[in-house]
Amino acid sequence: MLRYIYADELNRFPELANSMFRDRADQFKTRLGWEVSVDENGEERDQYDDLNPLYVIWEEADGRHGGSMRFLPTTGPVMVNEVFGHLTGGAPICSPLIWECTRFCLARDASPNVAAALMLGGGEIMTGFGIRHFAGVFDARMVRIYKAIGSSPEVLGSEGTGRDRISVGLWEFTPEARERVAKRAGIPPELSRLWFSSAFGTVKTTRFAKAG
């Protein structure tokens, strides 16, 4: 199932949280060779995890992490501006209607529907919080995945070639895209909405940390 959890609530789901950060280390450090920090417990975190981001996590039947994404509003510190701002010509992306999506991670044994399920969860956030776009950085390997899911971004800028190419993109979530992604995920839209409503109820508020 899809869970929507702020960072300050992760202690309520210790196995889910710990396996998420371990899978992040496995994907970004071990498999992709990114220069990321991994702690003594084999978990990957960065400074943006300290800003109380909202995570969308696919929870497997045994309570472990199957896949996840991380969201922060672009009105505060975000990777797309602080690390990859040169890809958009130095013009920061800053709007209450645009959130950043980062750390798209899949467990090694994730089922084929998990990637699409996460994108469906992102769409629920857009609908539920009135967000117009997600901004994010992605590498060349993700292009095929986005096309297969049926939710490709508008590319704002890129650098590099071949497998080393990275880009900044903007995603929107139209009703047509939701239908395609839900079908790909094998999740009825009504069930997807129920999971979101169970997390936030009828009143949805954000609880991101303020930049200090």
Coordinates of all heavy atoms in Angstrom, one line a residue, residues 19-62:
S19 N 14.4 0.5 6.4 CA 14.6 -0.2 5.1 C 14.6 0.8 4.0 O 15.2 0.6 3.0 CB 13.5 -1.3 4.9 OG 12.2 -0.8 5.0
M20 N 13.8 1.9 4.1 CA 13.9 2.9 3.1 C 15.3 3.5 2.9 O 15.8 3.6 1.8 CB 12.8 4.0 3.3 CG 12.9 5.2 2.3 SD 11.7 6.5 2.6 CE 12.3 7.2 4.1
F21 N 15.8 3.9 4.1 CA 17.1 4.6 4.0 C 18.2 3.6 3.6 O 19.2 3.9 3.0 CB 17.5 5.2 5.4 CG 16.6 6.4 5.7 CD1 15.8 6.4 6.8 CD2 16.6 7.5 4.8 CE1 15.0 7.5 7.1 CE2 15.8 8.6 5.1 CZ 15.0 8.6 6.2
R22 N 18.1 2.3 4.0 CA 19.0 1.3 3.5 C 18.9 1.0 2.0 O 19.9 0.9 1.3 CB 18.8 0.0 4.3 CG 19.2 0.0 5.7 CD 19.4 -1.4 6.3 NE 18.1 -2.1 6.3 CZ 17.2 -2.1 7.3 NH1 17.5 -1.4 8.4 NH2 16.1 -2.8 7.2
D23 N 17.7 1.0 1.5 CA 17.5 0.8 0.1 C 18.0 2.1 -0.7 O 18.5 1.9 -1.8 CB 16.0 0.6 -0.2 CG 15.5 -0.8 0.0 OD1 16.4 -1.7 0.1 OD2 14.3 -1.0 0.2
R24 N 17.9 3.2 -0.1 CA 18.5 4.4 -0.7 C 20.0 4.3 -0.9 O 20.6 4.6 -1.9 CB 18.1 5.7 0.0 CG 16.7 6.2 -0.3 CD 16.2 7.4 0.5 NE 17.2 8.4 0.8 CZ 16.9 9.6 1.4 NH1 15.6 9.8 1.7 NH2 17.9 10.4 1.7
A25 N 20.6 3.8 0.2 CA 22.1 3.6 0.1 C 22.4 2.6 -0.9 O 23.4 2.8 -1.7 CB 22.6 3.2 1.5
D26 N 21.7 1.5 -1.0 CA 21.9 0.5 -2.0 C 21.8 1.0 -3.4 O 22.6 0.7 -4.2 CB 21.0 -0.7 -1.7 CG 21.2 -1.8 -2.7 OD1 22.3 -2.3 -2.9 OD2 20.2 -2.3 -3.3
Q27 N 20.7 1.7 -3.6 CA 20.5 2.2 -5.0 C 21.5 3.3 -5.4 O 22.1 3.2 -6.4 CB 19.0 2.8 -5.1 CG 18.8 3.4 -6.5 CD 17.3 3.7 -6.7 OE1 16.5 2.8 -6.5 NE2 17.0 4.9 -7.1
F28 N 21.6 4.4 -4.6 CA 22.3 5.5 -5.0 C 23.9 5.4 -4.8 O 24.6 5.8 -5.6 CB 21.9 6.8 -4.2 CG 20.4 7.1 -4.4 CD1 19.5 7.2 -3.4 CD2 19.9 7.2 -5.7 CE1 18.2 7.5 -3.6 CE2 18.5 7.4 -5.9 CZ 17.7 7.6 -4.9
K29 N 24.3 4.7 -3.8 CA 25.7 4.5 -3.5 C 26.2 3.2 -4.2 O 27.2 3.3 -5.0 CB 26.0 4.4 -2.0 CG 27.4 4.2 -1.6 CD 28.2 5.5 -1.8 CE 29.6 5.4 -1.2 NZ 30.4 6.7 -1.3
T30 N 25.6 2.1 -3.9 CA 26.1 0.8 -4.4 C 25.9 0.6 -5.9 O 26.8 0.3 -6.7 CB 25.5 -0.4 -3.6 OG1 25.8 -0.2 -2.2 CG2 26.1 -1.7 -4.1
R31 N 24.6 0.8 -6.3 CA 24.3 0.5 -7.7 C 24.6 1.6 -8.7 O 25.1 1.4 -9.8 CB 22.8 0.1 -7.8 CG 22.5 -1.2 -7.2 CD 21.0 -1.6 -7.5 NE 20.2 -1.0 -6.5 CZ 18.8 -0.9 -6.6 NH1 18.3 -1.2 -7.7 NH2 18.1 -0.4 -5.6
L32 N 24.4 2.9 -8.3 CA 24.6 4.0 -9.2 C 25.9 4.7 -9.0 O 26.4 5.5 -9.8 CB 23.5 5.0 -9.0 CG 22.1 4.5 -9.4 CD1 21.0 5.6 -9.2 CD2 22.1 4.0 -10.9
G33 N 26.6 4.5 -7.8 CA 27.9 5.1 -7.6 C 27.9 6.6 -7.3 O 28.9 7.2 -7.5
W34 N 26.7 7.1 -6.8 CA 26.6 8.5 -6.5 C 27.5 8.8 -5.3 O 27.7 7.9 -4.4 CB 25.2 8.9 -6.2 CG 24.3 8.9 -7.4 CD1 24.6 8.4 -8.7 CD2 22.9 9.3 -7.5 NE1 23.5 8.6 -9.5 CE2 22.5 9.1 -8.8 CE3 22.1 9.9 -6.5 CZ2 21.2 9.4 -9.2 CZ3 20.8 10.2 -6.9 CH2 20.4 10.0 -8.2
E35 N 27.9 10.1 -5.2 CA 28.7 10.5 -4.0 C 27.7 10.9 -2.9 O 27.4 12.1 -2.7 CB 29.6 11.6 -4.4 CG 30.7 11.2 -5.3 CD 31.7 12.3 -5.6 OE1 31.5 13.4 -5.0 OE2 32.6 12.1 -6.4
V36 N 27.2 10.0 -2.2 CA 26.2 10.2 -1.1 C 26.8 9.7 0.2 O 27.7 8.9 0.2 CB 24.8 9.6 -1.4 CG1 24.2 10.2 -2.6 CG2 25.0 8.1 -1.6
S37 N 26.2 10.2 1.3 CA 26.7 9.8 2.6 C 25.9 8.6 3.1 O 24.7 8.7 3.2 CB 26.6 11.0 3.6 OG 27.4 12.1 3.2
V38 N 26.6 7.6 3.6 CA 26.0 6.4 4.1 C 26.5 6.3 5.6 O 27.8 6.3 5.8 CB 26.3 5.1 3.3 CG1 25.7 3.9 4.0 CG2 25.7 5.3 1.9
D39 N 25.6 6.1 6.6 CA 26.1 6.1 8.0 C 26.5 4.6 8.4 O 26.5 3.7 7.5 CB 25.0 6.6 8.9 CG 23.7 5.8 8.9 OD1 23.7 4.6 8.5 OD2 22.7 6.3 9.4
E40 N 26.8 4.5 9.6 CA 27.3 3.2 10.1 C 26.3 2.1 10.1 O 26.6 0.9 10.2 CB 27.8 3.4 11.6 CG 26.8 3.8 12.6 CD 26.6 5.3 12.7 OE1 27.1 6.0 11.8 OE2 25.9 5.7 13.6
N41 N 25.0 2.5 10.0 CA 23.9 1.5 9.9 C 23.6 1.2 8.4 O 22.6 0.5 8.2 CB 22.6 2.1 10.5 CG 22.8 2.3 12.0 OD1 23.4 1.5 12.7 ND2 22.4 3.5 12.5
G42 N 24.4 1.7 7.5 CA 24.1 1.4 6.1 C 22.9 2.2 5.5 O 22.4 1.8 4.5
E43 N 22.6 3.4 6.1 CA 21.5 4.2 5.6 C 22.0 5.5 5.0 O 22.9 6.1 5.5 CB 20.6 4.5 6.8 CG 20.0 3.2 7.5 CD 19.1 3.5 8.7 OE1 18.9 4.7 9.0 OE2 18.6 2.5 9.3
E44 N 21.3 5.9 4.0 CA 21.6 7.1 3.2 C 20.7 8.2 3.6 O 19.4 8.1 3.5 CB 21.6 6.9 1.7 CG 22.1 8.0 0.9 CD 21.0 9.1 0.6 OE1 19.9 8.7 0.3 OE2 21.3 10.3 0.6
R45 N 21.2 9.4 4.0 CA 20.4 10.5 4.3 C 21.2 11.8 3.9 O 22.4 11.7 3.8 CB 20.1 10.7 5.8 CG 19.1 9.7 6.4 CD 19.0 9.9 7.9 NE 17.9 9.1 8.5 CZ 18.1 7.9 8.9 NH1 19.2 7.3 8.8 NH2 17.1 7.2 9.5
D46 N 20.5 12.9 3.6 CA 21.2 14.1 3.3 C 20.5 15.3 4.1 O 19.6 15.0 4.9 CB 21.3 14.4 1.8 CG 19.9 14.6 1.2 OD1 18.9 14.8 1.9 OD2 19.8 14.6 0.0
Q47 N 20.9 16.5 3.8 CA 20.4 17.6 4.6 C 19.0 17.9 4.4 O 18.3 18.5 5.2 CB 21.3 18.9 4.3 CG 21.1 19.4 2.9 CD 22.1 18.9 1.9 OE1 22.6 17.7 2.1 NE2 22.6 19.7 1.0
Y48 N 18.4 17.5 3.3 CA 17.0 17.7 3.0 C 16.1 16.8 3.8 O 14.9 17.1 4.0 CB 16.8 17.6 1.5 CG 17.6 18.6 0.7 CD1 18.8 18.2 0.0 CD2 17.3 19.9 0.6 CE1 19.6 19.1 -0.7 CE2 18.1 20.8 0.0 CZ 19.2 20.4 -0.7 OH 20.0 21.3 -1.4
D49 N 16.6 15.7 4.3 CA 15.8 14.8 5.2 C 15.6 15.5 6.5 O 14.8 15.1 7.3 CB 16.5 13.5 5.3 CG 16.5 12.6 4.1 OD1 15.4 12.4 3.6 OD2 17.6 12.3 3.6
D50 N 16.4 16.5 6.8 CA 16.3 17.2 8.1 C 15.3 18.3 8.0 O 15.0 19.0 9.1 CB 17.7 17.9 8.5 CG 18.7 16.8 8.7 OD1 18.4 15.7 9.1 OD2 19.9 17.1 8.5
L51 N 14.6 18.6 6.9 CA 13.7 19.6 6.7 C 12.2 19.1 6.8 O 11.3 19.8 6.4 CB 13.9 20.3 5.4 CG 15.2 21.0 5.2 CD1 15.3 21.6 3.8 CD2 15.5 22.1 6.2
N52 N 12.0 18.0 7.5 CA 10.7 17.4 7.7 C 10.0 17.2 6.3 O 8.8 17.6 6.2 CB 9.9 18.2 8.6 CG 8.7 17.4 9.2 OD1 8.9 16.2 9.5 ND2 7.6 18.0 9.5
P53 N 10.6 16.6 5.3 CA 9.9 16.4 4.1 C 8.8 15.4 4.2 O 8.7 14.7 5.2 CB 11.0 15.8 3.2 CG 11.9 15.1 4.1 CD 11.9 16.0 5.3
L54 N 7.9 15.4 3.2 CA 6.9 14.4 3.1 C 7.4 13.3 2.2 O 7.8 13.5 1.1 CB 5.6 15.0 2.5 CG 4.4 14.1 2.2 CD1 3.9 13.5 3.5 CD2 3.3 14.9 1.5
Y55 N 7.3 12.0 2.7 CA 7.6 10.9 1.9 C 6.4 10.1 1.4 O 5.4 10.0 2.2 CB 8.5 9.9 2.7 CG 9.8 10.5 3.3 CD1 9.8 11.0 4.6 CD2 10.9 10.5 2.6 CE1 11.0 11.5 5.1 CE2 12.1 11.0 3.1 CZ 12.1 11.5 4.4 OH 13.3 12.0 4.9
V56 N 6.4 9.7 0.2 CA 5.5 8.7 -0.3 C 6.2 7.4 -0.4 O 7.2 7.3 -1.0 CB 4.9 9.1 -1.7 CG1 4.0 8.0 -2.2 CG2 4.1 10.4 -1.6
I57 N 5.7 6.4 0.4 CA 6.4 5.1 0.5 C 5.5 4.0 0.1 O 4.3 3.9 0.6 CB 6.9 4.9 1.9 CG1 7.8 6.1 2.4 CG2 7.7 3.6 2.0 CD1 8.2 6.0 3.8
W58 N 6.0 3.1 -0.7 CA 5.2 1.8 -1.0 C 5.6 0.8 0.1 O 6.8 0.5 0.2 CB 5.5 1.3 -2.4 CG 4.8 0.0 -2.6 CD1 5.3 -1.3 -2.5 CD2 3.4 -0.2 -3.0 NE1 4.3 -2.2 -2.7 CE2 3.1 -1.6 -3.1 CE3 2.4 0.7 -3.3 CZ2 1.9 -2.1 -3.4 CZ3 1.1 0.2 -3.6 CH2 0.9 -1.1 -3.7
E59 N 4.7 0.4 0.9 CA 4.9 -0.5 2.0 C 4.6 -1.9 1.5 O 3.4 -2.2 1.1 CB 4.1 -0.2 3.2 CG 4.4 -1.1 4.4 CD 3.6 -0.8 5.6 OE1 2.7 0.1 5.5 OE2 3.9 -1.3 6.7
E60 N 5.5 -2.8 1.6 CA 5.2 -4.2 1.2 C 4.4 -4.9 2.3 O 4.2 -4.4 3.4 CB 6.6 -5.0 1.0 CG 7.5 -4.4 -0.1 CD 6.9 -4.7 -1.5 OE1 5.8 -5.3 -1.6 OE2 7.6 -4.3 -2.5
A61 N 3.9 -6.1 2.0 CA 3.0 -6.8 2.9 C 3.7 -7.1 4.2 O 3.0 -7.2 5.3 CB 2.5 -8.1 2.2
D62 N 5.0 -7.2 4.2 CA 5.7 -7.6 5.4 C 6.2 -6.3 6.2 O 7.0 -6.4 7.2 CB 6.9 -8.5 5.1 CG 8.0 -7.8 4.2 OD1 7.8 -6.7 3.8 OD2 9.0 -8.5 3.9

